[in-house]
Amino acid sequence: MRIGVLALQGDVVEHVGALERAGARTLEVRTPDDLAAVDALVVPGGESTTVIRLLERFGLTEPIKGRVRDGMPFWGTCMGLIVAAHDVADLEQPTLDLIDVTVRRNAFGRQVDSAEVPLAIPALGERPFPAIFIRAPWIERTGPGVEVLAELGGHGVMVREGYVLGTSFHPELTGDERVHAYFLHMAAVGARITR
């Protein structure tokens, strides 16, 4: 199985490194042909309005939506969660609408408010995860099929709907590969089911 990392902007190198340390083969995705060569896709942090425009410019918007509708596992971190969301609170911002959540951009504050928080994520075990929040969104609404895997301050910060995963924080910056390993397991199960 090969995991793609969208390589148009953001923490690409950090995700590639974390995925490879967790045992994955990776490919940086910039074109529809790259996308066709991967079994799952990670969309890293960055700037959501810019990435939405770049996805359209590089001809990736519809191929990503189609692959995810057909069962390709997908994980969006921070900006990637915003891009994947159904909608963005109080903004007319286009999204891929891959997971039934409403997110609020920059909900935890500006760059100077960035923080590392020991976060309880029961799906990863008892040890708290060192979650790094940088101008992060939070989740204000979840649809009926969405499982909230972690919360902070009463808001969802890690969610899953089928084979779509979203995190408000940046696991790729921590040196703790447990969220990457969780996604790899999720992707492996999804790959077996969709074959």
Side-chain angles (χ1 to χ4, degrees), residues 78-117:
C78 196
M79 173 277 292
L81 170 61
I82 296 168
V83 167
H86 174 68
D87 61 342
V88 181
D90 300 327
L91 288 176
E92 291 293 325
Q93 177 173 332
T95 68
L96 297 178
D97 193 12
L98 302 176
I99 184 168
D100 189 11
V101 297
T102 300
V103 297
R104 181 170 298 279
R105 287 180 55 175
N106 302 325
F108 288 104
R110 300 180 311 170
Q111 194 82 17
V112 296
D113 301 309
S114 300
E116 182 177 315
V117 177

Side-chain angles (χ1 to χ4, degrees), residues 5-15 42-55 75-84 93 104-106 109 111 114 132-137 167-173:
V5 178
L6 185 70
L8 303 181
Q9 187 199 48
D11 296 338
V12 177
V13 171
E14 293 84 354
H15 267 297
V42 175
V43 175
E47 207 291 311
S48 58
T49 52
T50 299
V51 168
I52 284 288
R53 284 195 295 268
L54 290 172
L55 287 172
W75 174 20
T77 63
C78 196
M79 173 277 292
L81 170 61
I82 296 168
V83 167
Q93 177 173 332
R104 181 170 298 279
R105 287 180 55 175
N106 302 325
Q111 194 82 17
S114 300
I132 296 174
F133 291 86
I134 303 170
R135 294 176 56 215
T167 54
S168 296
F169 51 95
H170 290 269
E172 73 281 6
L173 300 178

Side-chain angles (χ1 to χ4, degrees), residues 127-188:
R127 182 167 44 100
F129 188 85
I132 296 174
F133 291 86
I134 303 170
R135 294 176 56 215
W138 68 37
I139 297 155
E140 297 205 339
R141 180 201 59 83
T142 58
V146 176
E147 179 183 7
V148 178
L149 300 172
E151 291 185 347
L152 183 62
H155 295 281
V157 293
M158 182 173 176
V159 290
R160 177 177 176 179
E161 184 177 21
Y163 293 106
V164 178
L165 181 68
T167 54
S168 296
F169 51 95
H170 290 269
E172 73 281 6
L173 300 178
T174 67
D176 185 330
E177 278 79 46
R178 284 181 292 159
V179 180
H180 288 82
Y182 178 90
F183 180 67
L184 291 181
H185 175 73
M186 192 178 109

